[in-house]
Amino acid sequence: MLPDYSNLYNSCQRAYDKIGQFENGNYFYVKPDGDLELQKVDQNSLIGAWSATIGKTVTNWSYGSEKADWRSVTSEIEKVNGQLKNLLDAHVLEDPDSSRDLNIKKLDLAIEQSARALHKVAQDYLEQSKQRWTRGTDKKEASTAYEKLARESYSLHLRLNCIIKELDSDEIPNADEFDGADNVLTSAFETLTDPNVLQEMDLENFEDAWLNAKQEAFSGGKDFLFNLAKQSDAIGDILRRSPESVSIKQLKEWAVELNKQIKKSDQSQGLKDLHALIQGDIAVRQSSMVKLTDSLKEAKSEGDVIRILGSANHVILEEPAVKALLKEVVSESHQRLAESLLREYKESGKVPDSIELIKGASVIVHESLKSSVGDTSAMFINHREKIEDLHGLLFSANTLIQDIAPNAASTMLQTTLVSVFNQLADICLLQQRTQRAKAYIEGCQGIRISSSHPVGDIGRVADMSKKSATWLEAGDQTVRRRNVRCQFKKIESGGRTTENLCFAFTVGEAEREKLSRRMSFLSKSGLLEDQSIKQEITKATYQTFDRSDNTYKDTVTVNAGEAVSYTDSSGKITLTIGTNDEKWNQYQKINVTADASVKAEDLYAFLTLFGLSTAMMQSRREDVMLENKARLANAVRPKETALQSSREETLDAIVSNADKVMIEKRAENMHLKDVGKGRMEYVDSHAIKDFWLSGGRGFAATLGHDGVTFNPLEVLSKGFYKTQKIESAATTLGYILKGGLISTFERFEMGIIGAGNAPEENIETGSANQVFTRPLTDNQFESAHDWRSYAIEGNILLLMDARLAERLPYGYAKDRAGIRNPHHVSKKMVRVAQKERPERGLRGEMMTERETLSDICKKQRANNYTLPTAEVMFEDVVGPDYIYGAVVNRPEDKAEVIRVLTGMGIDNIQGVPLNEAIFVGKLDKSMIKQVYEE
């Protein structure tokens, strides 16, 4: 039986009607039955002056079981707020239709008035706390308590306001989709930015009200995220979990892109919510930066500066503009004082009076530590003594902050601490100082990972990845591309089904070498035995996905070489690493399977042994910049950088000062984007311009290829190259339009274990994690190029627009199987690529044959030479947003493709009807999608 919602709402309204009258001259007391009672008093009377809430002292009056002290009163108001919040949650989920019969507009007006009254009381208390004749400390505490209640009340008002809007528009939220979010962020931002509201709220109150509304929207963890449009989940998670990882500039770019999507989308409420979230965060950050700048200008001593930094909104401390400001403000004397404060705490163990001093000192020392570490291993070694000292100070400070204020622990600081621990341990292993290395590893295990890290909350990641894989931006230099693939899987094995969270990521060549040293050390040092970790030689395996019961089963051993697995003492965490460098993709790949019940701190401690725990942690700005600069270096100077084993070596290979300046500038302007299947990647808009001006007009992939035949009858009738039935190719096209193009290894992770075009060769060459495409140039469209002349023949040509160049791919002017393995030596003495002359087998040094996209396009344009085997590779996925059409050979093929796609629920491609997006015949200028105006 459902509760009597009408009476419950009326009870709340009566309480808020009273609270709304709370002002100078009134006071509250708590009756024996727990209800709040309001009474008007004569402020000039002795009792009135003593017992009135806004009196000369903090009230502490009681008579029998009646109390008028502010703590009792605020406690009761907090209960009223909690009652309404719980009521809204339950009502919407259990009986949303009855909302129409309740007069909740009166309740909304009452709670809005009460929020304003509570805010006024808080302001009065704050003013009184500054007077000498009052008990200032108590008054300030009372002010803080009432201000908190004002924010909570205002947040509930915003939520009610949103429900009212739904009712007025004759739309009742669906219980399955509502999940407590109520579109509260959109409503909050619209309300908070109303001119009438802004006049009454200073910057600090706007920030507080917004953050409270944001917290309300995210109550229940996953609820708000699942109301967002599918392509926006990853952005929503970043802003909810660790907003300091993106800048105001990035937020503004997202806001612009979302505006475009909202205009195109029929069902855009999720996008509007996300847009409101971004707008609100921009406004909060800008107000916080103004406050911080003003406060620093008014600071009168080094101690003031440190205290200001300690109390600043931690999100803005990562803003480039704030970093630049701190370089100007923070001097050597500030640095010395900061180190002194942290050293005093470390040596004495005495907790300081103000945690802000420790937090502020940590901000300054953290920047100093990163500066000492630098970008090169040589710099690290030269500054090692200082690094160890600063690292020790920050380690103890981080522990204190987590003890006193866990939510204030900096994810960026923790990433630095772990990164430095790993570097110190690696140096000791190189120098064969094994005991010292062991001490660093065990010290690193002692860090308590914050829940705000990408994998700091296992439950949150599991909820996000139940429907499909989630890609998290994580890691320092250890994780290649700083992308960690996470997916919740039900795995059936040995007659039992378990729920697991599966992680997969890759490491670069230099990092894989360090990992080999670490694995050897662990086997010999006794650490594995000490922590009861089981080691086993095995094969690289994957499970097939059974759609009938959404379970992964039937373990398949793919030809990806041997691997070693490590299982923790509980048997709930397993790490698998490929051990055969001839199978390059598996050799670089790290797979982690953790039971869904595992705690983040246990997973962290386990991965720390192998130097891989930063895969769980938030990337810092310097990690992002180093990655972006190395990718740009590979894109603009592919021959020189192809064989470099680390980001550091890659950047060292750039000798031209002009190139260095250009790379630095473009890296600063790269921005995060969902490039497909929720994979967030930094992209370079400038690369689109370069590609277009060199004649590039897009990219293509052939669908429907079915191998090669040497049957004489088939050769005479259809040629050497077989194609699938058009219906099969059209079905493949439908899946691609829904989920994008995916690499061989991504298919394996999804449980699709199949042949592909050349998976075994690709695993050896290192390109099994790549999506292969052909570049398209203007001359091909102008000269009616026959797309069937490509090496891989088929019956559908998929068209992707020139924006795809922003992902900084690598490429070859002829078939090189996308080679990425510098150690590869083909087992074939002679290799015959389709439509190419026989030549020697592939070798690692052929990586230096890589060419820029511009050079490939120029060759393709020269004398209409179409490079039938030119290949351009993209990491893991190419999202459907880049696909704008397809070409078929005959009109009847077009009709069949449209029939199949319509049957799959697809009637357009990027908003263009299928009849206009499916082309027939050879390439033509009408098939070009214009994405750049010269």
Side-chain angles (χ1 to χ4, degrees):
M1 181 176 178
L2 294 175
D4 184 349
Y5 287 114
S6 179
N7 280 337
L8 291 172
Y9 277 123
N10 286 337
S11 174
C12 288
Q13 183 179 328
R14 285 193 296 272
Y16 285 120
D17 280 338
K18 290 179 183 177
I19 299 169
Q21 301 172 49
F22 198 9
E23 59 184 353
N24 202 350
N26 296 335
Y27 78 95
F28 269 127
Y29 62 89
V30 183
K31 298 197 298 184
D33 60 7
D35 282 351
L36 286 167
E37 190 62 51
L38 181 76
Q39 183 162 325
K40 184 84 174 177
V41 297
D42 180 1
Q43 287 291 307
N44 295 317
S45 72
L46 180 61
I47 293 179
W50 179 254
S51 61
T53 304
I54 306 301
K56 293 183 178 180
T57 64
V58 173
T59 59
N60 195 25
W61 169 79
S62 62
Y63 181 77
S65 56
E66 296 179 353
K67 292 186 176 182
D69 62 288
W70 67 265
R71 286 186 175 84
S72 298
V73 171
T74 53
S75 176
E76 290 305 313
I77 297 175
E78 189 173 11
K79 288 179 184 177
V80 175
N81 281 347
Q83 180 184 353
L84 179 57
K85 181 181 182 302
N86 294 334
L87 180 58
L88 291 175
D89 288 342
H91 186 194
V92 172
L93 290 173
E94 293 175 3
D95 190 22
D97 290 327
S98 67
S99 300
R100 296 183 180 282
D101 303 323
L102 301 174
N103 192 352
I104 61 174
K105 290 187 178 181
K106 284 187 178 179
L107 173 61
D108 181 46
L109 291 172
I111 194 171
E112 182 182 13
Q113 183 59 38
S114 71
R116 295 179 187 277
L118 290 167
H119 174 64
K120 181 65 168 60
V121 170
Q123 292 298 106
D124 287 341
Y125 263 128
L126 187 62
E127 286 302 312
Q128 288 187 41
S129 71
K130 299 174 183 178
Q131 305 300 321
R132 293 181 180 178
W133 43 266
T134 65
R135 291 159 59 188
T137 303
D138 287 346
K139 291 280 188 181
K140 192 169 184 180
E141 189 178 350
S143 173
T144 301
Y146 279 114
E147 189 61 54
K148 179 175 179 288
L149 291 172
R151 292 180 216 145
E152 288 178 358
S153 302
Y154 204 83
S155 178
L156 288 167
H157 156 62
L158 295 172
R159 188 168 178 183
L160 275 170
N161 196 255
C162 188
I163 294 174
I164 291 168
K165 286 184 180 179
E166 295 279 4
L167 294 173
D168 288 346
S169 63
D170 204 36
E171 294 178 7
I172 295 293
N174 184 300
D176 294 332
E177 297 176 354
F178 197 91
D179 282 341
D182 299 284
N183 303 331
V184 72
L185 289 173
T186 302
S187 176
F189 191 76
E190 289 174 353
T191 306
L192 291 173
T193 52
D194 180 273
N196 295 325
V197 176
L198 282 174
Q199 281 181 358
E200 299 180 18
M201 302 179 76
D202 57 24
L203 291 175
E204 182 173 1
N205 287 321
F206 172 85
E207 178 179 336
D208 291 339
W210 171 253
L211 293 178
N212 208 57
K214 181 177 171 181
Q215 182 179 3
E216 177 71 18
F218 284 130
S219 61
K222 66 185 181 193
D223 303 335
F224 177 72
L225 296 182
F226 286 167
N227 280 339
L228 299 179
K230 183 178 179 182
Q231 292 296 308
S232 306
D233 285 354
I235 297 175
D237 175 62
I238 290 171
L239 294 181
R240 170 186 175 229
R241 173 183 49 75
S242 188
E244 67 269 23
S245 62
V246 290
S247 65
I248 289 178
K249 181 181 178 183
Q250 175 69 75
L251 292 176
K252 289 180 177 179
E253 288 169 348
W254 281 345
V256 171
E257 184 62 30
L258 279 167
N259 256 334
K260 295 176 183 176
Q261 293 183 36
I262 289 168
K263 291 176 182 177
K264 292 191 294 185
S265 174
D266 294 331
Q267 299 177 342
S268 60
Q269 186 56 57
L271 295 173
K272 288 179 180 177
D273 283 343
L274 182 60
H275 190 259
L277 171 62
I278 291 172
Q279 284 182 299
D281 274 7
I282 290 172
V284 166
R285 291 193 198 191
Q286 289 175 331
S287 72
S288 296
M289 288 173 70
V290 169
K291 287 193 298 183
L292 178 62
T293 303
D294 290 345
S295 297
L296 288 174
K297 286 179 181 177
E298 295 170 4
K300 297 178 180 178
S301 68
E302 285 89 349
D304 287 345
V305 169
I306 291 174
R307 189 174 280 104
I308 289 165
L309 292 178
S311 59
N313 182 343
H314 71 281
V315 173
I316 64 166
L317 294 176
E318 294 299 320
E319 283 288 340
V322 174
K323 296 273 191 187
L325 174 65
L326 293 185
K327 282 185 178 180
E328 293 180 13
V329 172
V330 176
S331 64
E332 289 186 9
S333 60
H334 292 96
Q335 176 67 36
R336 286 193 296 271
L337 178 58
E339 289 181 25
S340 173
L341 288 168
L342 297 189
R343 198 177 310 282
E344 180 181 352
Y345 166 68
K346 181 186 176 185
E347 293 173 355
S348 69
K350 182 181 177 183
V351 178
D353 295 334
S354 171
I355 190 65
E356 277 73 26
L357 278 175
I358 295 296
K359 287 164 59 181
S362 296
V363 170
I364 294 174
V365 176
H366 185 203
E367 290 303 313
S368 178
L369 174 60
K370 289 191 292 184
S371 176
S372 299
V373 169
D375 294 332
T376 67
S377 24
M379 191 171 180
F380 187 97
I381 292 171
N382 290 337
H383 294 164
R384 178 174 167 177
E385 188 174 327
K386 181 179 180 181
I387 288 169
E388 288 190 273
D389 178 44
L390 298 180
H391 182 263
L393 296 179
L394 287 170
F395 181 79
S396 61
N398 174 70
T399 304
L400 172 66
I401 293 169
Q402 284 196 296
D403 286 340
I404 296 179
N407 294 332
S410 166
T411 55
M412 305 294 185
L413 172 56
Q414 288 193 337
T415 301
T416 296
L417 290 173
V418 174
S419 181
V420 172
F421 261 134
N422 284 335
Q423 288 173 276
L424 290 169
D426 289 336
I427 290 173
C428 287
L429 290 179
L430 270 175
Q431 298 171 343
Q432 298 185 342
R433 297 169 61 202
T434 55
Q435 287 305 310
R436 191 65 176 158
K438 185 177 179 180
Y440 283 132
I441 293 170
E442 291 174 339
C444 192
Q445 285 184 309
I447 293 176
R448 284 170 288 157
I449 184 171
S450 166
S451 62
S452 295
H453 285 290
V455 194
D457 183 337
I458 297 291
R460 180 188 67 230
V461 179
D463 286 337
M464 285 179 60
S465 61
K466 280 183 177 176
K467 294 182 180 179
S468 60
T470 294
W471 294 82
L472 298 175
E473 279 271 309
D476 56 355
Q477 297 182 45
T478 305
V479 181
R480 186 173 178 276
R481 292 292 184 97
R482 294 174 308 91
N483 261 300
V484 178
R485 186 189 192 277
C486 310
Q487 187 169 9
F488 176 87
K489 293 181 178 180
K490 289 183 179 180
I491 300 177
E492 184 180 299
S493 178
R496 57 190 289 263
T497 301
T498 57
E499 293 185 341
N500 299 278
L501 197 55
C502 300
F503 302 93
F505 57 94
T506 59
V507 295
E509 185 181 359
E511 298 303 321
R512 184 60 182 81
E513 186 178 338
K514 292 177 185 176
L515 180 56
S516 292
R517 281 197 298 272
R518 184 74 70 104
M519 291 159 64
S520 175
F521 162 72
L522 291 174
S523 298
K524 298 173 183 177
S525 67
L527 265 175
L528 295 182
E529 291 81 0
D530 291 346
Q531 301 191 24
S532 301
I533 292 173
K534 179 183 175 184
Q535 179 179 345
E536 183 181 2
I537 302 300
T538 181
K539 294 279 187 181
T541 59
Y542 294 87
Q543 295 83 29
T544 56
F545 181 62
D546 187 342
R547 291 182 181 275
S548 66
D549 59 1
N550 291 327
T551 302
Y552 289 80
K553 56 186 67 172
D554 301 328
T555 299
V556 177
T557 300
V558 297
N559 191 12
E562 288 190 338
V564 59
S565 68
Y566 301 88
T567 304
D568 79 326
S569 58
S570 70
K572 293 183 177 182
I573 306 173
T574 299
L575 169 71
T576 305
I577 306 167
T579 55
N580 184 353
D581 65 0
E582 291 181 4
K583 307 291 185 180
W584 193 245
N585 278 113
Q586 195 66 49
Y587 183 70
Q588 289 190 311
K589 192 161 186 269
I590 310 296
N591 283 95
V592 182
T593 301
D595 187 280
S597 65
V598 164
K599 294 180 179 179
E601 52 264 36
D602 295 330
L603 178 60
Y604 165 80
F606 179 74
L607 292 180
T608 295
L609 282 172
F610 304 89
L612 298 173
S613 52
T614 53
M616 300 176 63
M617 306 183 79
Q618 186 64 57
S619 297
R620 301 159 298 173
R621 177 170 169 75
E622 52 267 32
D623 299 319
V624 174
M625 280 296 292
L626 187 60
E627 175 77 40
N628 289 349
K629 288 193 289 186
R631 288 178 56 207
L632 282 164
N634 283 321
V636 300
R637 290 291 178 263
K639 295 182 187 297
E640 295 87 341
T641 60
L643 295 175
Q644 307 306 323
S645 64
S646 68
R647 299 174 181 89
E648 181 185 329
E649 290 180 4
T650 297
L651 293 175
D652 285 344
I654 304 298
V655 296
S656 163
N657 285 331
D659 283 346
K660 290 178 181 179
V661 171
M662 178 268 292
I663 287 170
E664 187 79 29
K665 185 176 180 180
R666 283 173 61 174
E668 287 279 359
N669 290 317
M670 290 175 70
H671 60 279
L672 264 179
K673 182 177 181 179
D674 185 342
V675 296
K677 300 184 78 65
R679 179 188 167 110
M680 301 300 291
E681 185 177 286
Y682 277 87
V683 297
D684 175 35
S685 300
H686 194 279
I688 303 172
K689 175 183 177 181
D690 286 348
F691 179 60
W692 192 273
L693 294 180
S694 63
R697 292 298 178 265
F699 301 87
T702 307
L703 310 181
H705 179 71
D706 202 25
V708 181
T709 181
F710 295 99
N711 182 307
L713 293 177
E714 291 181 346
V715 171
L716 287 172
S717 61
K718 297 182 180 179
F720 286 100
Y721 307 104
K722 297 190 295 182
T723 57
Q724 300 172 352
K725 292 181 179 179
I726 188 67
E727 182 180 6
S728 298
T731 302
T732 301
L733 173 61
Y735 287 129
I736 290 171
L737 291 176
K738 289 182 177 182
L741 288 159
I742 56 177
S743 68
T744 296
F745 261 35
E746 177 62 14
R747 284 192 288 108
F748 286 177
E749 289 289 349
M750 293 172 65
I752 307 169
I753 316 296
N757 281 329
E760 186 173 340
E761 182 180 50
N762 294 151
I763 291 171
E764 293 175 357
T765 61
S767 59
N769 64 338
Q770 302 292 314
V771 173
F772 284 70
T773 69
R774 307 290 185 195
L776 295 174
T777 46
D778 50 4
N779 63 310
Q780 291 176 289
F781 292 98
E782 292 164 0
S783 60
H785 172 66
D786 186 351
W787 51 272
R788 291 173 302 172
S789 66
Y790 281 125
I792 303 295
E793 290 192 11
N795 41 28
I796 298 178
L797 184 73
L798 189 70
L799 298 175
M800 292 159 274
D801 66 57
R803 290 178 305 129
L804 191 53
E806 69 187 0
R807 292 189 58 194
L808 302 176
Y810 71 98
Y812 296 94
K814 60 191 306 183
D815 188 341
R816 287 290 176 256
I819 189 167
R820 288 181 51 251
N821 180 1
H823 309 293
H824 179 65
V825 178
S826 177
K827 298 179 179 66
K828 301 174 183 177
M829 294 295 293
V830 177
R831 182 174 188 266
V832 183
Q834 293 181 28
K835 302 190 178 180
E836 290 277 10
R837 294 179 179 178
E839 59 181 353
R840 286 181 60 192
L842 292 174
R843 301 173 308 284
E845 58 263 29
M846 287 181 174
M847 288 170 60
T848 58
E849 295 179 15
R850 289 183 184 178
E851 302 202 35
T852 65
L853 271 183
S854 296
D855 286 342
I856 292 174
C857 289
K858 289 171 185 175
K859 285 187 175 181
Q860 192 154 292
R861 296 174 86 195
N863 302 317
N864 276 341
Y865 178 44
T866 56
L867 296 173
T869 58
E871 57 187 20
V872 177
M873 279 63 62
F874 297 88
E875 194 106 349
D876 289 312
V877 298
V878 171
D881 285 351
Y882 289 108
I883 299 167
Y884 70 94
V887 189
V888 295
N889 191 37
R890 304 173 302 169
E892 49 267 42
D893 291 342
K894 176 176 179 175
E896 182 65 8
V897 169
I898 292 176
R899 183 191 70 78
V900 171
L901 293 181
T902 303
M904 296 176 73
I906 300 170
D907 60 7
N908 71 86
I909 300 177
Q910 296 300 312
V912 179
L914 292 178
N915 193 51
E916 299 175 30
I918 307 295
F919 304 96
V920 179
K922 298 178 180 179
L923 296 184
D924 180 85
K925 285 194 289 186
S926 64
M927 301 176 187
I928 297 174
K929 182 177 179 180
Q930 190 82 21
V931 298
Y932 179 78
E933 295 291 340
E934 296 183 43

